[in-house]
Amino acid sequence: MRRALELASQGIGAVEPNPPVGAVVVDDSLRLLGEGFHEGFGGLHAEVNALRAAGESARGSQLFVTLEPCNHQGQTPPCCDAILQAGIKRVVVGAADPASHDDVTGIPRLRDAGVDVEVGLLAREARVMIAPFTKLMTKGHPFVHVKWAMSLDGRIATRTGDSKWISGEESRAVVHQMRGRMDAIIVGIQTALADDPELTARPPGPRTATRIVLDSTARLPLESQLVRTAREAPVLVFCGSQANADAIDSLTKAGVEVVRCPESEDQRPGWGMMLDELGHRQMTNVLVEGGSEVLGTCLDANVVDWAHVFVGPKILGGRDSLSPIGGVGSAQLADAFDLEPASFLKLGNDVYIEGPVIPAIA
């Protein structure tokens, strides 16, 4: 099953809005006969790829798969058909399918056909693997990642606003890989004005993220890199009711999509409505990159699922230096958000900390 999970991870970024899935076929002595994963949206599922790799040796063998085999006709035939036709005698499943369609009956169908089915091996790891898919299927919202780089004393910029670079090249390479697996990258208008970012993955990844700017008054400059490249990679501006109609028209003519949405109490586009819209577009993973106020309001709204934090060995100091998280924040330490469990990775001289925030993935 661990090998199946490793295989599944290779599909992240290429299969969405489908879930990443891996499968391994073994004999009774656990000798590998075939393996495969879901390689791309619309392509063959993991089980079929693994069974094809095993060939005739699959008959009478065991299949380990990270997610319940499908029993419905989608862009490909039901995987249960392939499993039964191959003569598999035992199927070990990591996680049950959370999808809301009426044909989530893979496990009962296999059992009814006489296949020995075990469910729940490495269940937590399997559920983490499909957590973005689960959220999209059950709540209609994308999985929200937040990312920031900060100094040892918790600053994202000096008192003059200088921030390049707090993290090292290894950390920045990880961020670009992350961007290449996202459906959208979100920043606030202050970040767009101060940094004039392009928000692309270099080198390109399997996905081309929509660049999203939270811009209440639609003041994103037409000469900005985002607008100038809007016809090469999508740009979406969420604005409020007070946005100037002429500014919206100019952005639209430049190739930017502008969506008006109801504001929250602070006159900013509300997270609930924005995530409704992105979920409607079948976006599965979105990355919020900042700035401080956008990250703060995102946490205040309790919509963050996963945090990626890069800590560089620098001490900036200064009472006016920016911290990564603005917004209202927690009133009591007991209300603070925990990364549980958190993982730690050394990248050059930096430390990369990541883990689930809200909700905790059981």
Side-chain angles (χ1 to χ4, degrees):
M1 187 62 78
R2 291 198 186 280
R3 176 56 182 163
L5 287 163
E6 290 174 1
L7 290 165
S9 69
Q10 296 181 42
I12 296 175
V15 302
E16 289 81 1
N18 283 351
V21 182
V24 174
V25 180
V26 298
D27 62 17
D28 288 342
S29 64
L30 300 186
R31 180 173 61 93
L32 178 66
L33 302 176
E35 62 182 26
F37 64 98
H38 186 25
E39 298 178 13
F41 181 74
L44 296 176
H45 287 191
E47 301 93 319
V48 175
N49 284 327
L51 291 169
R52 287 190 174 186
E56 285 301 316
S57 63
R59 189 161 301 278
S61 64
Q62 305 179 64
L63 173 71
F64 287 72
V65 61
T66 58
L67 179 65
E68 177 180 356
C70 66
N71 188 38
H72 64 280
Q73 176 70 46
Q75 293 192 315
T76 59
C79 289
C80 284
D81 289 356
I83 292 169
L84 295 175
Q85 290 166 10
I88 294 290
K89 70 175 183 180
R90 179 171 182 257
V91 175
V92 182
V93 176
D97 191 340
S100 58
H101 54 70
D102 294 332
D103 297 320
V104 184
T105 55
I107 292 170
R109 183 182 175 199
L110 292 174
R111 284 175 172 162
D112 289 346
V115 178
D116 178 20
V117 181
E118 176 186 336
V119 183
L121 182 61
L122 298 183
R124 185 189 183 280
E125 292 91 333
R127 287 196 294 267
V128 168
M129 181 66 65
I130 63 166
F133 170 75
T134 299
K135 188 178 180 187
L136 185 62
M137 290 296 102
T138 60
K139 297 185 178 180
H141 283 179
F143 197 77
V144 178
H145 303 254
V146 293
K147 183 277 294 182
W148 67 86
M150 68 182 185
S151 63
L152 284 175
D153 54 338
R155 298 291 187 263
I156 60 173
T158 68
R159 59 184 172 81
T160 64
D162 185 22
S163 62
K164 292 184 172 57
W165 294 99
I166 288 176
S167 58
E169 290 184 5
E170 293 91 342
S171 294
R172 298 198 295 275
V174 169
V175 171
H176 280 287
Q177 292 171 3
M178 196 185 308
R179 285 178 174 180
R181 299 193 300 267
M182 296 289 158
D183 289 303
I185 300 166
I186 301 173
V187 298
I189 184 59
Q190 294 299 338
T191 295
L193 294 174
D195 297 344
D196 191 23
E198 195 170 347
L199 301 180
T200 54
R202 297 183 294 275
R207 305 190 84 74
T208 299
T210 297
R211 286 90 51 85
I212 297 177
V213 182
L214 310 187
D215 181 8
S216 297
T217 57
R219 55 192 171 115
L220 182 65
L222 297 179
E223 63 274 14
S224 66
Q225 289 198 84
L226 288 168
V227 175
R228 288 190 289 108
T229 60
R231 301 192 190 281
E232 301 166 20
V235 177
L236 171 63
V237 167
F238 280 112
C239 69
S241 58
Q242 71 273 35
N244 181 275
D246 291 337
I248 292 175
D249 185 58
S250 296
L251 287 170
T252 301
K253 288 179 178 177
V256 175
E257 183 181 4
V258 181
V259 174
R260 288 184 185 267
C261 60
E263 299 97 336
S264 56
E265 292 181 1
D266 58 5
Q267 301 303 305
R268 293 170 176 163
W271 280 102
M273 179 275 168
M274 291 188 292
L275 294 178
D276 283 344
E277 176 65 25
L278 300 183
H280 181 71
R281 297 172 185 233
Q282 291 289 285
M283 290 189 179
T284 308
N285 288 283
V286 301
L287 176 63
V288 183
E289 290 207 6
S292 175
E293 283 303 306
V294 169
L295 288 166
T297 61
C298 191
L299 280 163
D300 288 341
N302 286 358
V303 298
V304 179
D305 297 293
W306 204 273
H308 307 264
V309 183
F310 300 86
V311 183
K314 294 177 174 63
I315 300 173
L316 303 186
R319 66 177 61 89
D320 295 326
S321 299
L322 282 174
S323 66
I325 308 297
V328 176
S330 302
Q332 305 293 330
L333 191 58
D335 300 327
F337 300 124
D338 290 325
L339 270 63
E340 180 61 43
S343 66
F344 300 80
L345 177 65
K346 192 172 185 297
L347 296 173
N349 288 327
D350 301 339
V351 176
Y352 172 31
I353 307 168
E354 67 165 324
V357 181
I358 306 169
I361 301 170

mmCIF file of all heavy atoms in Angstrom, residues 244-281:
data_model
loop_
_atom_site.group_PDB
_atom_site.id
_atom_site.type_symbol
_atom_site.label_atom_id
_atom_site.label_comp_id
_atom_site.label_asym_id
_atom_site.label_seq_id
_atom_site.Cartn_x
_atom_site.Cartn_y
_atom_site.Cartn_z
ATOM 1 N N ASN A 244 -14.944 50.566 -9.964
ATOM 2 C CA ASN A 244 -15.256 51.469 -11.063
ATOM 3 C C ASN A 244 -15.544 50.684 -12.342
ATOM 4 O O ASN A 244 -14.764 49.816 -12.746
ATOM 5 C CB ASN A 244 -14.080 52.427 -11.274
ATOM 6 C CG ASN A 244 -14.333 53.419 -12.384
ATOM 7 O OD1 ASN A 244 -14.106 53.117 -13.548
ATOM 8 N ND2 ASN A 244 -14.813 54.598 -12.020
ATOM 9 N N ALA A 245 -16.662 51.005 -12.983
ATOM 10 C CA ALA A 245 -17.080 50.276 -14.186
ATOM 11 C C ALA A 245 -16.078 50.438 -15.321
ATOM 12 O O ALA A 245 -15.824 49.492 -16.081
ATOM 13 C CB ALA A 245 -18.464 50.738 -14.626
ATOM 14 N N ASP A 246 -15.496 51.631 -15.455
ATOM 15 C CA ASP A 246 -14.506 51.846 -16.518
ATOM 16 C C ASP A 246 -13.250 51.008 -16.285
ATOM 17 O O ASP A 246 -12.655 50.478 -17.237
ATOM 18 C CB ASP A 246 -14.134 53.331 -16.598
ATOM 19 C CG ASP A 246 -15.282 54.178 -17.125
ATOM 20 O OD1 ASP A 246 -16.162 53.623 -17.820
ATOM 21 O OD2 ASP A 246 -15.299 55.398 -16.841
ATOM 22 N N ALA A 247 -12.827 50.896 -15.014
ATOM 23 C CA ALA A 247 -11.654 50.082 -14.700
ATOM 24 C C ALA A 247 -11.918 48.616 -15.024
ATOM 25 O O ALA A 247 -11.053 47.927 -15.583
ATOM 26 C CB ALA A 247 -11.285 50.249 -13.231
ATOM 27 N N ILE A 248 -13.118 48.145 -14.702
ATOM 28 C CA ILE A 248 -13.480 46.764 -15.014
ATOM 29 C C ILE A 248 -13.471 46.544 -16.520
ATOM 30 O O ILE A 248 -12.961 45.534 -17.023
ATOM 31 C CB ILE A 248 -14.863 46.422 -14.422
ATOM 32 C CG1 ILE A 248 -14.794 46.388 -12.897
ATOM 33 C CG2 ILE A 248 -15.376 45.090 -14.961
ATOM 34 C CD1 ILE A 248 -16.128 46.189 -12.226
ATOM 35 N N ASP A 249 -14.017 47.496 -17.259
ATOM 36 C CA ASP A 249 -14.067 47.389 -18.717
ATOM 37 C C ASP A 249 -12.657 47.325 -19.307
ATOM 38 O O ASP A 249 -12.387 46.534 -20.212
ATOM 39 C CB ASP A 249 -14.844 48.574 -19.291
ATOM 40 C CG ASP A 249 -15.029 48.456 -20.792
ATOM 41 O OD1 ASP A 249 -15.613 47.454 -21.238
ATOM 42 O OD2 ASP A 249 -14.564 49.365 -21.517
ATOM 43 N N SER A 250 -11.741 48.155 -18.781
ATOM 44 C CA SER A 250 -10.364 48.167 -19.287
ATOM 45 C C SER A 250 -9.667 46.847 -19.017
ATOM 46 O O SER A 250 -8.956 46.312 -19.884
ATOM 47 C CB SER A 250 -9.582 49.321 -18.645
ATOM 48 O OG SER A 250 -10.123 50.565 -19.020
ATOM 49 N N LEU A 251 -9.868 46.313 -17.819
ATOM 50 C CA LEU A 251 -9.254 45.030 -17.497
ATOM 51 C C LEU A 251 -9.830 43.924 -18.377
ATOM 52 O O LEU A 251 -9.089 43.063 -18.876
ATOM 53 C CB LEU A 251 -9.485 44.697 -16.021
ATOM 54 C CG LEU A 251 -8.677 45.498 -14.997
ATOM 55 C CD1 LEU A 251 -9.180 45.235 -13.584
ATOM 56 C CD2 LEU A 251 -7.187 45.167 -15.103
ATOM 57 N N THR A 252 -11.125 43.951 -18.589
ATOM 58 C CA THR A 252 -11.772 42.932 -19.417
ATOM 59 C C THR A 252 -11.239 42.975 -20.843
ATOM 60 O O THR A 252 -10.954 41.932 -21.446
ATOM 61 C CB THR A 252 -13.294 43.120 -19.397
ATOM 62 O OG1 THR A 252 -13.773 43.039 -18.053
ATOM 63 C CG2 THR A 252 -13.975 42.052 -20.236
ATOM 64 N N LYS A 253 -11.091 44.181 -21.390
ATOM 65 C CA LYS A 253 -10.572 44.316 -22.752
ATOM 66 C C LYS A 253 -9.132 43.826 -22.855
ATOM 67 O O LYS A 253 -8.684 43.415 -23.934
ATOM 68 C CB LYS A 253 -10.671 45.774 -23.195
ATOM 69 C CG LYS A 253 -12.098 46.223 -23.483
ATOM 70 C CD LYS A 253 -12.158 47.681 -23.888
ATOM 71 C CE LYS A 253 -13.589 48.094 -24.218
ATOM 72 N NZ LYS A 253 -13.685 49.547 -24.549
ATOM 73 N N ALA A 254 -8.406 43.871 -21.740
ATOM 74 C CA ALA A 254 -7.015 43.401 -21.743
ATOM 75 C C ALA A 254 -6.912 41.892 -21.557
ATOM 76 O O ALA A 254 -5.805 41.344 -21.540
ATOM 77 C CB ALA A 254 -6.231 44.112 -20.645
ATOM 78 N N GLY A 255 -8.054 41.222 -21.403
ATOM 79 C CA GLY A 255 -8.046 39.769 -21.285
ATOM 80 C C GLY A 255 -8.207 39.246 -19.876
ATOM 81 O O GLY A 255 -8.099 38.040 -19.643
ATOM 82 N N VAL A 256 -8.481 40.141 -18.919
ATOM 83 C CA VAL A 256 -8.671 39.749 -17.528
ATOM 84 C C VAL A 256 -10.150 39.472 -17.281
ATOM 85 O O VAL A 256 -11.009 40.256 -17.708
ATOM 86 C CB VAL A 256 -8.175 40.861 -16.577
ATOM 87 C CG1 VAL A 256 -8.480 40.520 -15.124
ATOM 88 C CG2 VAL A 256 -6.683 41.093 -16.775
ATOM 89 N N GLU A 257 -10.455 38.383 -16.602
ATOM 90 C CA GLU A 257 -11.829 38.124 -16.189
ATOM 91 C C GLU A 257 -12.070 38.807 -14.851
ATOM 92 O O GLU A 257 -11.273 38.665 -13.914
ATOM 93 C CB GLU A 257 -12.098 36.628 -16.065
ATOM 94 C CG GLU A 257 -13.540 36.312 -15.701
ATOM 95 C CD GLU A 257 -13.818 34.830 -15.551
ATOM 96 O OE1 GLU A 257 -12.870 34.030 -15.649
ATOM 97 O OE2 GLU A 257 -14.996 34.482 -15.313
ATOM 98 N N VAL A 258 -13.157 39.546 -14.745
ATOM 99 C CA VAL A 258 -13.487 40.262 -13.514
ATOM 100 C C VAL A 258 -14.820 39.748 -12.995
ATOM 101 O O VAL A 258 -15.801 39.678 -13.736
ATOM 102 C CB VAL A 258 -13.557 41.787 -13.741
ATOM 103 C CG1 VAL A 258 -13.885 42.504 -12.433
ATOM 104 C CG2 VAL A 258 -12.232 42.299 -14.317
ATOM 105 N N VAL A 259 -14.829 39.384 -11.721
ATOM 106 C CA VAL A 259 -16.046 38.877 -11.079
ATOM 107 C C VAL A 259 -16.358 39.766 -9.890
ATOM 108 O O VAL A 259 -15.527 39.929 -8.992
ATOM 109 C CB VAL A 259 -15.875 37.414 -10.622
ATOM 110 C CG1 VAL A 259 -17.095 36.954 -9.825
ATOM 111 C CG2 VAL A 259 -15.647 36.499 -11.820
ATOM 112 N N ARG A 260 -17.541 40.352 -9.892
ATOM 113 C CA ARG A 260 -17.995 41.104 -8.721
ATOM 114 C C ARG A 260 -18.572 40.126 -7.708
ATOM 115 O O ARG A 260 -19.269 39.182 -8.071
ATOM 116 C CB ARG A 260 -19.086 42.108 -9.110
ATOM 117 C CG ARG A 260 -18.610 43.320 -9.900
ATOM 118 C CD ARG A 260 -19.786 44.244 -10.106
ATOM 119 N NE ARG A 260 -19.500 45.389 -10.949
ATOM 120 C CZ ARG A 260 -19.116 46.580 -10.501
ATOM 121 N NH1 ARG A 260 -18.979 46.773 -9.200
ATOM 122 N NH2 ARG A 260 -18.883 47.584 -11.331
ATOM 123 N N CYS A 261 -18.288 40.352 -6.447
ATOM 124 C CA CYS A 261 -18.863 39.475 -5.430
ATOM 125 C C CYS A 261 -19.201 40.282 -4.185
ATOM 126 O O CYS A 261 -18.611 41.340 -3.944
ATOM 127 C CB CYS A 261 -17.932 38.320 -5.091
ATOM 128 S SG CYS A 261 -16.344 38.796 -4.448
ATOM 129 N N PRO A 262 -20.169 39.810 -3.399
ATOM 130 C CA PRO A 262 -20.559 40.537 -2.189
ATOM 131 C C PRO A 262 -19.372 40.679 -1.238
ATOM 132 O O PRO A 262 -18.569 39.758 -1.072
ATOM 133 C CB PRO A 262 -21.653 39.642 -1.581
ATOM 134 C CG PRO A 262 -22.134 38.804 -2.713
ATOM 135 C CD PRO A 262 -20.959 38.603 -3.607
ATOM 136 N N GLU A 263 -19.279 41.856 -0.613
ATOM 137 C CA GLU A 263 -18.175 42.111 0.300
ATOM 138 C C GLU A 263 -18.502 41.615 1.701
ATOM 139 O O GLU A 263 -19.658 41.471 2.084
ATOM 140 C CB GLU A 263 -17.855 43.613 0.365
ATOM 141 C CG GLU A 263 -17.432 44.213 -0.955
ATOM 142 C CD GLU A 263 -18.592 44.889 -1.684
ATOM 143 O OE1 GLU A 263 -19.753 44.521 -1.433
ATOM 144 O OE2 GLU A 263 -18.319 45.775 -2.497
ATOM 145 N N SER A 264 -17.436 41.353 2.459
ATOM 146 C CA SER A 264 -17.582 41.070 3.873
ATOM 147 C C SER A 264 -17.685 42.397 4.618
ATOM 148 O O SER A 264 -17.748 43.468 4.005
ATOM 149 C CB SER A 264 -16.381 40.257 4.371
ATOM 150 O OG SER A 264 -15.177 40.943 4.087
ATOM 151 N N GLU A 265 -17.679 42.355 5.946
ATOM 152 C CA GLU A 265 -17.848 43.573 6.738
ATOM 153 C C GLU A 265 -16.752 44.596 6.498
ATOM 154 O O GLU A 265 -16.961 45.797 6.665
ATOM 155 C CB GLU A 265 -17.897 43.206 8.229
ATOM 156 C CG GLU A 265 -19.155 42.433 8.619
ATOM 157 C CD GLU A 265 -19.192 42.109 10.087
ATOM 158 O OE1 GLU A 265 -18.241 42.515 10.810
ATOM 159 O OE2 GLU A 265 -20.149 41.456 10.531
ATOM 160 N N ASP A 266 -15.551 44.129 6.124
ATOM 161 C CA ASP A 266 -14.453 45.068 5.878
ATOM 162 C C ASP A 266 -14.392 45.526 4.425
ATOM 163 O O ASP A 266 -13.373 46.022 3.957
ATOM 164 C CB ASP A 266 -13.114 44.456 6.292
ATOM 165 C CG ASP A 266 -12.820 43.152 5.548
ATOM 166 O OD1 ASP A 266 -13.608 42.781 4.657
ATOM 167 O OD2 ASP A 266 -11.804 42.511 5.871
ATOM 168 N N GLN A 267 -15.483 45.325 3.674
ATOM 169 C CA GLN A 267 -15.615 45.761 2.297
ATOM 170 C C GLN A 267 -14.697 45.006 1.336
ATOM 171 O O GLN A 267 -14.397 45.478 0.244
ATOM 172 C CB GLN A 267 -15.347 47.280 2.177
ATOM 173 C CG GLN A 267 -16.281 48.135 3.005
ATOM 174 C CD GLN A 267 -17.749 47.888 2.648
ATOM 175 O OE1 GLN A 267 -18.140 47.996 1.488
ATOM 176 N NE2 GLN A 267 -18.553 47.535 3.635
ATOM 177 N N ARG A 268 -14.265 43.820 1.720
ATOM 178 C CA ARG A 268 -13.453 42.987 0.837
ATOM 179 C C ARG A 268 -14.308 41.828 0.330
ATOM 180 O O ARG A 268 -15.250 41.409 0.995
ATOM 181 C CB ARG A 268 -12.242 42.420 1.593
ATOM 182 C CG ARG A 268 -11.243 43.494 2.011
ATOM 183 C CD ARG A 268 -10.211 42.904 2.942
ATOM 184 N NE ARG A 268 -9.186 43.864 3.292
ATOM 185 C CZ ARG A 268 -8.358 43.734 4.302
ATOM 186 N NH1 ARG A 268 -8.447 42.672 5.086
ATOM 187 N NH2 ARG A 268 -7.440 44.648 4.558
ATOM 188 N N PRO A 269 -13.987 41.309 -0.867
ATOM 189 C CA PRO A 269 -14.721 40.135 -1.346
ATOM 190 C C PRO A 269 -14.664 39.013 -0.316
ATOM 191 O O PRO A 269 -13.613 38.716 0.247
ATOM 192 C CB PRO A 269 -13.971 39.762 -2.633
ATOM 193 C CG PRO A 269 -13.377 41.059 -3.110
ATOM 194 C CD PRO A 269 -13.000 41.795 -1.851
ATOM 195 N N GLY A 270 -15.813 38.379 -0.044
ATOM 196 C CA GLY A 270 -15.893 37.361 0.992
ATOM 197 C C GLY A 270 -15.353 36.016 0.529
ATOM 198 O O GLY A 270 -15.568 35.604 -0.604
ATOM 199 N N TRP A 271 -14.676 35.303 1.435
ATOM 200 C CA TRP A 271 -14.061 34.032 1.085
ATOM 201 C C TRP A 271 -15.103 32.984 0.710
ATOM 202 O O TRP A 271 -14.871 32.166 -0.190
ATOM 203 C CB TRP A 271 -13.195 33.530 2.236
ATOM 204 C CG TRP A 271 -11.856 34.194 2.281
ATOM 205 C CD1 TRP A 271 -11.453 35.195 3.112
ATOM 206 C CD2 TRP A 271 -10.746 33.924 1.416
ATOM 207 N NE1 TRP A 271 -10.157 35.558 2.836
ATOM 208 C CE2 TRP A 271 -9.699 34.790 1.797
ATOM 209 C CE3 TRP A 271 -10.533 33.023 0.373
ATOM 210 C CZ2 TRP A 271 -8.457 34.791 1.169
ATOM 211 C CZ3 TRP A 271 -9.293 33.016 -0.268
ATOM 212 C CH2 TRP A 271 -8.272 33.893 0.131
ATOM 213 N N GLY A 272 -16.236 32.972 1.385
ATOM 214 C CA GLY A 272 -17.248 31.967 1.077
ATOM 215 C C GLY A 272 -17.710 32.037 -0.358
ATOM 216 O O GLY A 272 -17.772 31.018 -1.069
ATOM 217 N N MET A 273 -18.026 33.244 -0.810
ATOM 218 C CA MET A 273 -18.498 33.399 -2.186
ATOM 219 C C MET A 273 -17.401 33.059 -3.182
ATOM 220 O O MET A 273 -17.644 32.411 -4.211
ATOM 221 C CB MET A 273 -18.987 34.838 -2.401
ATOM 222 C CG MET A 273 -19.495 35.134 -3.810
ATOM 223 S SD MET A 273 -18.154 35.573 -4.953
ATOM 224 C CE MET A 273 -19.027 35.490 -6.507
ATOM 225 N N MET A 274 -16.160 33.491 -2.878
ATOM 226 C CA MET A 274 -15.068 33.226 -3.813
ATOM 227 C C MET A 274 -14.813 31.734 -3.944
ATOM 228 O O MET A 274 -14.613 31.219 -5.057
ATOM 229 C CB MET A 274 -13.810 33.959 -3.362
ATOM 230 C CG MET A 274 -13.906 35.470 -3.499
ATOM 231 S SD MET A 274 -12.351 36.336 -3.185
ATOM 232 C CE MET A 274 -12.118 36.040 -1.424
ATOM 233 N N LEU A 275 -14.839 31.012 -2.829
ATOM 234 C CA LEU A 275 -14.609 29.576 -2.900
ATOM 235 C C LEU A 275 -15.780 28.853 -3.563
ATOM 236 O O LEU A 275 -15.582 27.839 -4.247
ATOM 237 C CB LEU A 275 -14.341 29.026 -1.506
ATOM 238 C CG LEU A 275 -13.043 29.515 -0.850
ATOM 239 C CD1 LEU A 275 -12.904 28.947 0.547
ATOM 240 C CD2 LEU A 275 -11.828 29.154 -1.694
ATOM 241 N N ASP A 276 -16.997 29.361 -3.384
ATOM 242 C CA ASP A 276 -18.142 28.826 -4.124
ATOM 243 C C ASP A 276 -17.876 28.915 -5.630
ATOM 244 O O ASP A 276 -18.109 27.960 -6.376
ATOM 245 C CB ASP A 276 -19.418 29.605 -3.796
ATOM 246 C CG ASP A 276 -20.009 29.238 -2.444
ATOM 247 O OD1 ASP A 276 -19.639 28.187 -1.885
ATOM 248 O OD2 ASP A 276 -20.847 30.028 -1.942
ATOM 249 N N GLU A 277 -17.408 30.078 -6.050
ATOM 250 C CA GLU A 277 -17.156 30.306 -7.474
ATOM 251 C C GLU A 277 -16.045 29.392 -7.987
ATOM 252 O O GLU A 277 -16.167 28.784 -9.056
ATOM 253 C CB GLU A 277 -16.771 31.772 -7.699
ATOM 254 C CG GLU A 277 -16.387 32.128 -9.125
ATOM 255 C CD GLU A 277 -17.510 31.993 -10.127
ATOM 256 O OE1 GLU A 277 -18.694 32.078 -9.707
ATOM 257 O OE2 GLU A 277 -17.225 31.798 -11.324
ATOM 258 N N LEU A 278 -14.975 29.258 -7.233
ATOM 259 C CA LEU A 278 -13.862 28.426 -7.677
ATOM 260 C C LEU A 278 -14.247 26.948 -7.658
ATOM 261 O O LEU A 278 -13.834 26.184 -8.545
ATOM 262 C CB LEU A 278 -12.634 28.677 -6.798
ATOM 263 C CG LEU A 278 -12.114 30.123 -6.790
ATOM 264 C CD1 LEU A 278 -10.850 30.229 -5.944
ATOM 265 C CD2 LEU A 278 -11.861 30.637 -8.208
ATOM 266 N N GLY A 279 -15.056 26.548 -6.679
ATOM 267 C CA GLY A 279 -15.539 25.172 -6.662
ATOM 268 C C GLY A 279 -16.447 24.876 -7.838
ATOM 269 O O GLY A 279 -16.395 23.789 -8.424
ATOM 270 N N HIS A 280 -17.276 25.847 -8.205
ATOM 271 C CA HIS A 280 -18.141 25.700 -9.368
ATOM 272 C C HIS A 280 -17.327 25.489 -10.639
ATOM 273 O O HIS A 280 -17.767 24.797 -11.570
ATOM 274 C CB HIS A 280 -19.034 26.932 -9.508
ATOM 275 C CG HIS A 280 -19.980 26.877 -10.667
ATOM 276 N ND1 HIS A 280 -21.067 26.031 -10.708
ATOM 277 C CD2 HIS A 280 -19.975 27.559 -11.858
ATOM 278 C CE1 HIS A 280 -21.697 26.197 -11.862
ATOM 279 N NE2 HIS A 280 -21.058 27.115 -12.565
ATOM 280 N N ARG A 281 -16.127 26.052 -10.651
ATOM 281 C CA ARG A 281 -15.234 25.887 -11.801
ATOM 282 C C ARG A 281 -14.409 24.606 -11.710
ATOM 283 O O ARG A 281 -13.500 24.391 -12.515
ATOM 284 C CB ARG A 281 -14.299 27.101 -11.908
ATOM 285 C CG ARG A 281 -15.029 28.413 -12.170
ATOM 286 C CD ARG A 281 -14.072 29.594 -12.072
ATOM 287 N NE ARG A 281 -14.788 30.862 -12.194
ATOM 288 C CZ ARG A 281 -14.470 31.824 -13.055
ATOM 289 N NH1 ARG A 281 -13.427 31.691 -13.859
ATOM 290 N NH2 ARG A 281 -15.173 32.939 -13.110
#
